Amino acid sequence: PGLTANVTLSPPLGTSKCAPHSIIIGVRKGGTRALLEMLDIHPEVAAAATEVHFFDWDENYAKGFDWYRELMPYSYPHQITVEKTPGYFTSALAPERIRAMNSSIKLLLILRDPTERVISDYTQVYFNRLENHKPVQAIENLLVRSGALNTRYKAIQRSLYDLHMSNWLRYFPLEQIHIVDGDTLIRDPLPELQKVERFLNLPPRIMSSNFYFNQTKGFYCIRSEGRERCLHESKGRPHPAVNGTVLQQLRSYLREHNHNFYRLVKRSFDWQ
Ligand code: A3P
């Protein structure tokens, strides 16, 4: 029988756990994992390993800031700590709670075409349900109820970027929320990462040699410290083909919300 050692590794000398300097607040399926992993290439970034759900889950928030800080990675004084929890963006209470912790925190928000995001959201739930042996439905059955678009479907609600954004703007000035274009990040990650470096006042350290396109995965993967790695197989899954009429219904419903969002953030995106 093997020996089971109960070893507590002591942290590297000179490191400590700090509250985050920056938070990736969402959006779910926007490319939040890709953004965090790519940002983590930077030697002055310490990224939290897991999604913390401190500001959006009441039972976690009730545990207090010390509990939260414990979940942060050890970092050196020259590093900034970053955590990502995609659920923050659509949480009613997260903006106020984050401001209560640090009103000058820098927020990162990665967004992609909201229609595509709905389908990506559906695909994630579909695979989760399959894994848990739960029944699954065709996407059209969730998108449409009695012939009309089912606007109460959660995946659609999460794509109403204007509604969520206006809640954030009640607590933070626009300049404190940097929006990463998730569609661009997929096609060409470096320029988006360079903008994030500037926003976070980090010296430019992420380079084109940190990325290579993996034909098999169909996405960019990361090369850093002599190691090559792609994101988990759950990232970048093929999406189902959606009935054309239903897709049009969804697009036209989201259009007005998208335009409201462009006005709010004083920037436009080429969302369909
Ligand atoms: P799909 O799986 O629907 O394609 P999140 O991490 O917020 O859940 O976002 C997941 C999405 O990140 C994926 O959605 C994928 O499109 C996108 N993504 C962006 N860059 C990626 C990369 N380099 N590798 C894999 N997925 C990436």
Side-chain angles (χ1 to χ4, degrees), residues 29-34 112 120 186 219-220 235-237 239:
K29 305 319 290 172
T32 54
R33 176 55 62 187
R112 68 202 276 209
S120 175
I186 291 175
F219 283 85
Y220 276 95
K235 306 293 179 182
R237 275 188 291 224
H239 293 174

Side-chain angles (χ1 to χ4, degrees), residues 94-105:
E96 187 174 7
R97 288 173 172 175
I98 293 178
R99 188 179 68 177
M101 176 185 71
N102 178 357
S103 63
S104 58
I105 195 162

Side-chain angles (χ1 to χ4, degrees), residues 24 26-35 38 51 84 86 110 112 116-117 119-121 123-124 182-183 185-187 189 211-212 217-222 230-239:
I24 299 174
V27 65
R28 176 179 152 104
K29 305 319 290 172
T32 54
R33 176 55 62 187
L35 178 59
M38 290 172 176
E51 291 179 9
K84 79 111 173 165
I110 178 163
R112 68 202 276 209
E116 200 59 34
R117 201 217 66 80
I119 304 169
S120 175
D121 198 326
T123 307
Q124 163 151 321
D183 298 300
L185 188 95
I186 291 175
R187 290 192 304 269
F211 305 103
Y212 67 97
K217 185 158 175 81
F219 283 85
Y220 276 95
C221 298
I222 296 169
C230 297
L231 296 199
H232 186 257
E233 61 180 17
S234 65
K235 306 293 179 182
R237 275 188 291 224
H239 293 174

Side-chain angles (χ1 to χ4, degrees), residues 190 206-212 221-224 228:
L190 183 62
I206 304 175
M207 289 174 292
S208 60
S209 57
N210 289 125
F211 305 103
Y212 67 97
C221 298
I222 296 169
R223 187 186 294 119
S224 176
E228 292 190 341

